[in-house]
């Protein structure tokens, strides 16, 4: 479904991706994992065509995303749903209108049909009763579920989740985990999941890619990953504080810093 | 849907207010109505000195406004200023003996043309006619100059 | 020394980049306008929030500015025995200068800053991004209607401001200070030209509307998506709009009445 080859991307001085190859198979839930700051969100934006890679190709359904003209790109995006970390609900619209938004923008369906569709999507995420609420009245977990309903409003064939579990209480987390898997199977979607929550991702993903330092350092099914002999992967999966990824941000010797007694790092 | 109806009504009120203000400015504050005022006919008058007279200055008879100055041009043959007056067509039949003088509203005010109708019986002024009797504007500097000369001579 | 030059060069380069981005952004907006015009309801909703909600401040300020002009003008004119010209003074100052300029400044503070903050917030909460991912162009859906609404609302507000100002001057001059009612209006009408004064004032307001709308949406769209970035963008909207309006006012005045 999605084929990434030799992806290079830099932001400012920093290399975010340095030759990344990823294959995402149709109908599967693929998790892309890695510590914060490895550009997981950037990857989703690259797939969605919001950013351009410096080198390499990204093909969605065999179409090179970055060769498309604007109009074609917008056509392609209708087949992609994306769930942002914050939910990104439109604050000036209520829950119902938020879910109806893509339908109103892209279709000329009569009001009664839009109502049916919206209620159906809201029912799927269990929030039909909350349709009159404003986004500010929702809890974080509910907002994400509404955003999920909105993302599937146009029946996309692929959906991308940006850190769906971050900052959720265990119950919302459980609900989201269940929903992602359920929707994937019931609607025949392809799901890409970006996360650093090991347990939850391993629970629902068919395949996991682990990113670090701009490269894929391990990939495979969750079981294969647990077997991995890479110390880095083990540190990440076990959540150990120190290891191949040092606890300390690179810097001079602590002793030197203490003894010089001058403000070196910060600018006043 | 209810709220959007209120919004629409308010926007309607807003636009209506804005247009009404523009209309008010056009009709009440500016001279737009004057432009639209019925038909006019033209007279010319030639002055030796027009002082500060400007196009669109009022033309009055006995203090009542009957028209305006349409244009002012220097005639290169006579070296006098030829002034074209637009007179409201309702005020027909000014006597031919009418004289035109440039007056000042107040000491420092705007200048305008005052017409004084002369004795009847010598025909009437019609479209395109020239007012023959004219008096130039009073130029303050000239007045003061004359006054000073007299003072000196009087000593 | 060298650091100073570096800093200076950096700043110049930064401003130039922003200037370029701003103009490219304007082109994008202008290109999107035909599509925006097909959705008049979106524009109406925005006219409500930038126009109708600014009405109160415009009505109050317009009336008071006119009344102050009436008082001050009277005290000056009475020394020359030309109090009948009060209407001329009030009307001309409002129509030519104060109406468009003060309206634009108030607009920048009331509506422009709110627009910037709103768009900046939509950006920082990824609403614009998510719109893009839903294959909805935020320039058409969010920026365009706001731009057009501001562009449309400011001239209307300026007209309301000028008219109420003249009325305020009238109330002070005629009802309070005893200037003759007929003289007030006839002098005003004789001196104020519809084309030279009213229409030129309207043109000024249209130009200011364009600039104020452009700056407000650009600053919002270009804001750094943090709360500090948004607050700085809001400030920039007010400052830049005020500077641009005053500068343009000088140029326009020189062109129109020079």
């Amino acid at each position: 479904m999605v084929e990434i080859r030799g992806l290079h991307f830099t932001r400012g001085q920093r290399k975010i991706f340095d030759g990344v190859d990823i294959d995402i198979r149709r109908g599967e839930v693929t998790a892309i994992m890695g510590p914060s700051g490895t550009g997981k969100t950037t990857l989703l934006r690259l797939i969605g065509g919001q950013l351009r890679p410096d080198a390499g190709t990204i093909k969605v359904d065999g179409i090179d995303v970055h060769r498309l003209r604007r109009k074609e790109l917008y056509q392609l995006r209708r087949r992609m749903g994306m769930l942002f970390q914050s939910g990104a609900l439109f604050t000036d619209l209520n829950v119902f209108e938020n879910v109806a938004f893509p339908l109103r923008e892209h279709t000329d369906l009569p009001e009664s049909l839009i109502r049916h569709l919206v209620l159906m999507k809201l029912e799927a995420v269990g929030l039909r009763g909350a349709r009159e609420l404003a986004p500010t009245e929702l809890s974080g977990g509910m907002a994400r579920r509404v955003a999920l309903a909105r993302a599937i409003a146009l029946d996309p064939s692929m959906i991308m989740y940006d850190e769906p579990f971050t900052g959720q209480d265990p119950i919302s987390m459980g609900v989201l985990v269940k929903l992602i898997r359920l929707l994937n199977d019931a609607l025949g979607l392809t799901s890409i999941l970006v996360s650093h929550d090991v347990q939850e991702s391993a629970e629902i993903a068919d395949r996991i890619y682990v990113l670090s330092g701009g490269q894929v350092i391990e990939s495979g099914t969750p079981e294969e990953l647990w077997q991995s002999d890479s110390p880095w992967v083990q540190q990440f999966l076990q959540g150990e504080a120190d290891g191949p990824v040092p606890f300390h941000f690179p810097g001079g010797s602590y002793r030197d810093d203490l003894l010089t007694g001058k403000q070196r790092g910060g600018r006043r | 849907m209810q709220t959007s109806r209120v919004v629409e009504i308010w926007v309607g009120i807003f636009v209506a207010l804005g247009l009404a203000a523009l209309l008010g400015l056009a009709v009440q504050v500016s001279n737009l109505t004057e432009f639209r005022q019925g038909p006019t006919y033209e007279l010319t008058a030639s002055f030796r000195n027009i002082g500060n007279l400007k196009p669109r200055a009022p033309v009055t008879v006995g203090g009542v406004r009957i028209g305006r100055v349409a244009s002012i041009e220097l005639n290169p043959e006579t070296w006098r200023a030829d002034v074209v007056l637009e007179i409201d067509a309702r005020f027909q039949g000014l006597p031919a003996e009418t004289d035109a003088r440039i007056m000042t509203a107040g000491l420092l005010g705007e200048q305008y043309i005052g017409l004084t109708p002369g004795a009847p019986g010598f025909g009437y002024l019609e479209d395109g006619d020239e007012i023959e009797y004219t008096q130039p504007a009073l130029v303050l500097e000239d007045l003061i100059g004359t006054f000073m000369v007299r003072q000196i001579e009087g000593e | 020394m060298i650091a100073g030059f570096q800093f200076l060069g950096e700043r110049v380069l930064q401003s130039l980049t922003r200037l370029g981005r701003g103009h490219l952004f304007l082109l994008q907006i202008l290109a999107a306008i035909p599509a925006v015009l097909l959705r008049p309801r979106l524009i109406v909703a925005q006219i409500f929030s930038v126009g109708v909600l600014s009405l109160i401040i415009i009505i109050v300020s317009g009336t008071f500015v006119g009344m102050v002009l009436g008082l001050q003008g009277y005290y000056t004119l009475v020394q020359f025995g030309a109090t009948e010209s009060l209407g001329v003074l009030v009307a001309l100052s409002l129509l030519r200068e104060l109406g468009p300029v003060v309206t634009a400044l108030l607009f920048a503070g009331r509506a422009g800053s709110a627009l910037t903050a709103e768009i900046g917030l939509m950006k920082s909460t990824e609403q614009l991004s998510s719109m893009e991912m839903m294959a909805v162009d935020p320039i058409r859906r969010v920026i365009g209607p706001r731009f057009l609404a501001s562009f449309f609302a400011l001239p209307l507000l300026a007209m309301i401001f000028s008219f109420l100002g003249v009325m305020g001057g009238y109330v002070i001059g005629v009802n309070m200070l005893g200037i003759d009612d007929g003289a007030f209006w006839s002098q005003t009408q004789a001196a104020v030209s519809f084309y030279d004064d009213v229409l030129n004032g309207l043109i000024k307001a249209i130009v200011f509307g364009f600039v104020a709308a452009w700056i407000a949406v650009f600053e919002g769209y270009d804001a750094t998506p943090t709360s500090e970035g948004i607050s700085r963008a809001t400030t920039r909207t007010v400052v830049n709009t005020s500077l641009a309006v005053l500068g343009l006012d000088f140029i326009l005045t020189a062109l129109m009445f020079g």
Side-chain angles (χ1 to χ4, degrees):
Chain A
M1 179 82 188
V2 181
E3 191 186 304
I4 301 175
R5 287 288 172 270
L7 183 69
H8 288 260
F9 185 78
T10 43
R11 173 172 289 158
Q13 302 294 323
R14 264 188 65 213
K15 272 206 163 107
I16 309 244
F17 297 120
D18 191 11
V20 168
D21 298 325
I22 291 176
D23 284 290
I24 285 150
R25 298 187 199 169
R26 194 178 299 273
E28 286 191 350
V29 177
T30 307
I32 294 169
M33 311 195 57
S36 317
T38 42
K40 302 187 295 291
T41 307
T42 311
L43 183 67
L44 294 187
R45 287 182 192 268
L46 282 163
I47 295 173
Q50 284 190 322
L51 297 172
R52 286 189 151 275
D54 299 335
T57 57
I58 297 177
K59 286 186 181 168
V60 175
D61 250 350
I63 307 166
D64 187 339
V65 176
H66 300 96
R67 286 267 170 77
L68 293 178
R69 276 178 301 155
R70 191 184 157 74
K71 220 173 184 168
E72 297 162 332
L73 180 63
Y74 272 47
Q75 284 294 333
L76 179 68
R77 280 185 187 162
R78 289 191 199 186
R79 289 191 275 140
M80 301 181 189
M82 178 152 171
L83 187 71
F84 283 82
Q85 195 167 350
S86 58
L89 295 177
F90 303 128
T91 36
D92 52 342
L93 303 174
N94 68 15
V95 167
F96 182 93
E97 288 299 323
N98 258 290
V99 180
F101 181 86
L103 296 167
R104 293 198 201 281
E105 289 293 321
H106 290 307
T107 66
D108 283 322
L109 298 177
E111 189 59 36
S112 60
L113 195 52
I114 288 185
R115 194 181 139 79
H116 279 304
L117 284 171
V118 171
L119 292 183
M120 199 169 90
K121 307 293 175 188
L122 280 173
E123 178 70 23
V125 297
L127 288 176
R128 194 168 40 84
R131 62 178 179 272
E132 297 298 331
L133 296 182
T136 44
E137 297 173 283
L138 300 175
S139 72
M142 281 158 84
R144 266 176 226 191
R145 279 150 71 191
V146 174
L148 185 53
R150 187 178 66 180
I152 58 171
L154 283 174
D155 293 320
S157 49
M158 182 179 116
I159 188 160
M160 298 186 275
Y161 300 91
D162 185 6
E163 305 276 8
F165 309 123
T166 313
Q168 298 294 309
D169 62 81
I171 299 177
S172 316
M173 197 115 95
V175 170
L176 281 165
V177 168
K178 185 177 147 234
L179 266 177
I180 292 172
R181 188 72 238 184
L182 209 68
L183 286 174
N184 190 72
D185 298 344
L187 303 178
L189 294 169
T190 305
S191 306
I192 306 173
L193 177 71
V194 149
S195 177
H196 48 238
D197 293 279
V198 177
Q199 290 301 330
E200 288 71 22
S201 307
E203 202 174 307
I204 50 169
D206 298 307
R207 189 166 295 276
I208 297 180
Y209 284 84
V210 180
L211 289 178
S212 176
Q215 274 163 343
V216 175
I217 55 167
E218 195 69 71
S219 66
T221 61
E223 294 75 33
E224 284 167 7
L225 226 60
W226 288 108
Q227 315 283 316
S228 167
D229 45 11
S230 153
W232 195 98
V233 174
Q234 286 305 325
Q235 186 198 352
F236 182 72
L237 294 180
Q238 309 294 341
E240 286 153 7
D242 215 347
V245 180
F247 170 70
H248 291 287
F249 192 83
S253 131
Y254 185 36
R255 193 162 163 271
D256 288 351
D257 266 357
L258 284 178
L259 289 179
T260 51
K262 268 192 282 180
Q263 269 281 349
R264 263 205 323 201
R267 190 153 45 107
R268 292 261 178 158
Chain B
M1 286 296 105
Q2 199 57 43
T3 48
S4 88
R5 180 139 187 81
V6 176
V7 164
E8 279 165 20
I9 291 171
W10 267 107
V11 170
I13 292 174
F14 169 60
V15 173
L17 274 180
L19 293 180
L22 180 60
L23 191 75
L25 289 172
V27 173
Q28 180 74 345
V29 179
S30 78
N31 57 358
L32 185 66
T33 41
E34 185 193 313
F35 275 87
R36 300 270 169 268
Q37 236 171 29
T40 58
Y41 67 99
E42 282 188 358
L43 297 177
T44 58
S46 147
F47 293 91
R48 206 180 65 226
N49 187 338
I50 55 159
N52 271 324
L53 192 72
K54 299 265 161 56
R56 290 197 290 111
V59 176
T60 64
V61 172
V64 179
R65 180 168 192 161
I66 62 161
R68 62 178 198 126
V69 172
S71 70
I72 301 171
E73 258 172 60
L74 184 68
N75 185 332
E77 283 165 25
T78 59
W79 297 108
R80 289 161 72 95
D82 286 351
V83 177
V84 179
L85 313 178
E86 265 180 14
I87 311 292
D88 193 323
R90 285 177 299 168
F91 303 107
Q92 294 283 355
L94 282 166
E97 294 280 282
T98 298
D99 85 337
R101 58 177 92 166
I102 296 179
M103 321 237 265
T104 308
L107 187 57
L108 299 168
E110 197 191 16
Q111 289 190 308
Y112 64 97
I113 292 184
L115 298 182
T116 317
F122 298 94
Y124 300 100
L125 290 172
E126 282 169 29
D127 190 26
D129 283 356
E130 182 176 350
I131 300 173
E132 282 179 37
Y133 306 99
T134 62
Q135 272 187 33
L138 279 180
V139 179
L140 206 58
E141 291 89 328
D142 290 354
L143 267 183
I144 294 169
T146 322
F147 176 75
M148 301 259 286
V149 168
R150 276 201 200 137
Q151 286 281 311
I152 296 164
E153 281 173 353
E155 271 174 9
Chain C
M1 187 64 181
I2 288 180
F5 275 124
Q6 252 177 1
F7 178 73
L8 202 73
E10 187 90 350
R11 287 303 289 267
V12 169
L13 222 63
Q14 245 174 34
S15 338
L16 285 179
T17 325
R18 273 178 57 78
L19 200 67
R21 269 211 307 275
H23 281 82
L24 288 176
F25 184 63
L26 180 65
L27 286 184
Q28 280 180 295
I29 300 176
L30 295 182
I33 280 181
V36 176
L37 287 175
L38 295 177
R39 309 271 305 265
R41 295 188 128 232
L42 292 178
I43 305 176
V44 167
Q46 291 307 320
I47 291 178
F48 182 80
S49 59
V50 297
V52 175
L53 297 183
S54 307
L55 260 182
I56 297 287
I57 188 171
I58 291 297
I59 287 174
V60 173
S61 339
T63 313
F64 276 100
V65 166
M67 282 160 65
V68 169
L69 273 179
L71 277 178
Q72 291 284 12
Y74 182 83
Y75 294 137
T76 309
L77 289 174
V78 82
Q79 299 179 36
F80 302 103
T83 49
E84 277 77 19
S85 303
L86 184 66
V88 182
L89 187 143
V90 172
L92 283 187
S93 7
L94 279 165
L95 285 171
R96 290 180 168 186
E97 294 296 337
L98 293 176
V101 172
V102 177
T103 305
L105 296 182
L106 290 173
F107 187 86
R110 170 68 184 76
S113 57
L115 272 183
T116 305
E118 189 191 11
I119 296 171
L121 210 65
M122 288 180 89
K123 186 182 179 189
S124 75
T125 52
E126 295 177 315
Q127 291 182 46
L128 296 182
S129 266
S130 79
M131 218 175 251
E132 250 179 62
M133 285 307 299
M134 278 185 259
V136 176
D137 185 352
I139 295 199
R140 285 188 193 172
R141 182 62 175 66
V142 176
I143 308 292
R146 283 167 174 75
F147 176 83
L148 279 184
S150 311
F151 177 45
F152 182 72
L154 205 153
L156 288 176
L157 290 171
M159 288 301 112
I160 294 173
F161 186 98
S162 295
F163 182 74
L164 289 175
V166 173
M167 284 305 165
Y170 171 81
V171 167
I172 290 292
V174 175
N175 295 5
M176 256 184 64
L177 300 170
I179 297 172
D180 181 59
D181 180 81
F184 183 92
W185 289 124
S186 73
Q187 287 253 0
T188 309
Q189 284 170 7
V192 177
S193 147
F194 180 74
Y195 295 98
D196 289 346
D197 299 320
V198 179
L199 282 192
N200 274 345
L202 188 61
I203 290 171
K204 273 189 177 181
I206 291 172
V207 172
F208 296 163
F210 185 85
V211 172
W214 174 24
I215 292 180
V217 294
F218 173 67
E219 290 295 352
Y221 198 75
D222 199 50
T224 317
T226 59
S227 36
E228 195 209 354
I230 292 170
S231 80
R232 285 201 358 214
T234 315
T235 313
R236 269 209 303 272
T237 295
V238 177
V239 173
N240 289 354
T241 308
S242 309
L243 290 179
V245 162
L246 293 173
L248 274 174
D249 184 49
F250 175 75
I251 296 172
L252 287 175
T253 305
L255 284 179
M256 287 170 171
F257 307 110

